[in-house]
Amino acid sequence: MRNVRQLREKQPENEKITINLGFVDLGRIDLLVQEGFYSNRSDFIRTAIRKQLDHQSETVTRSIDRHTMEMGLRDYSVADLEAVQAANEVLHIKVVGLARIARDVTPELALATIGSINVLGALQASTEVKKALGDRIS
C-alpha cells in the first residue's frame, strides 16, 4: 500500500445550496414528483432554475459584457501567473462560473500577481492562497 498515491483531488462538479420554501410550494413540488413529472425535488428545482436563466439569458449576457467577465470555467496555473509577473502586470479575475487557482500556486505568487478576485459562482484554490488573498476576494 506504500506505493499507492492519489493522483489528484476529486473536484466537485457542482455547488450545494440551501433554500427555504413555503409548505404549499413544497407540497406542489412533491405532487409533481409523485405524478412522475420530475424524479425528485432537486430535479424540479434545477429545471426551474435553468428555465429562468434561459429566460434571462440576454440580460445575463449584457451584464457579463458590461462587467468584462469571463463565463464558464477558468483555470489559473503557475505558468499563467508567472507570465503575468514577468510582464509586470496585475491580474483582476472576474468570472461567472468556476475559477480555479492551481494547487501548486504559492501564496507569494498569488499575492504578487492577483489584484482582485470577483467570482459569481465558485472559487477553488488552496486554503493558503485563499487566506493570503482574503482581502482581495469579493
Side-chain angles (χ1 to χ4, degrees):
M1 294 304 278
R2 290 183 200 183
N3 61 351
V4 174
R5 55 180 194 181
Q6 186 174 345
L7 295 178
R8 67 182 106 134
E9 281 186 34
K10 180 168 171 44
Q11 298 293 327
E13 295 179 18
N14 50 43
E15 188 79 13
K16 187 173 190 169
I17 63 169
T18 303
I19 63 170
N20 296 318
L21 287 176
F23 296 118
V24 173
D25 290 337
L26 191 56
R28 292 168 65 189
I29 293 169
D30 286 344
L31 180 62
L32 291 171
V33 170
Q34 181 181 340
E35 293 295 317
F37 289 97
Y38 300 94
S39 59
N40 53 44
R41 290 174 175 175
S42 293
D43 182 33
F44 171 86
I45 293 167
R46 275 191 301 273
T47 301
I49 289 170
R50 285 187 192 114
K51 284 182 181 177
Q52 188 63 26
L53 289 172
D54 287 345
H55 179 71
Q56 299 288 334
S57 66
E58 285 184 40
T59 303
V60 171
T61 300
R62 283 195 307 272
S63 184
I64 288 170
D65 290 344
R66 186 173 65 249
H67 293 286
T68 61
M69 301 181 94
E70 295 182 66
M71 188 164 171
L73 168 64
R74 180 64 166 91
D75 285 312
Y76 297 92
S77 66
V78 169
D80 294 332
L81 298 183
E82 287 174 344
V84 168
Q85 190 173 39
N88 290 320
E89 295 178 355
V90 175
L91 186 61
H92 296 279
I93 297 172
K94 295 180 177 183
V95 174
V96 175
L98 174 61
R100 292 190 301 202
I101 299 173
R103 288 266 173 215
D104 55 348
V105 170
T106 64
E108 295 78 21
L109 180 59
L111 282 169
T113 56
I114 300 173
S116 64
I117 300 177
N118 182 1
V119 177
L120 301 174
L123 170 65
Q124 292 179 350
S126 70
T127 304
E128 295 81 16
V129 167
K130 282 184 177 179
K131 184 177 178 182
L133 296 174
D135 62 337
R136 301 178 190 188
I137 300 172
S138 59

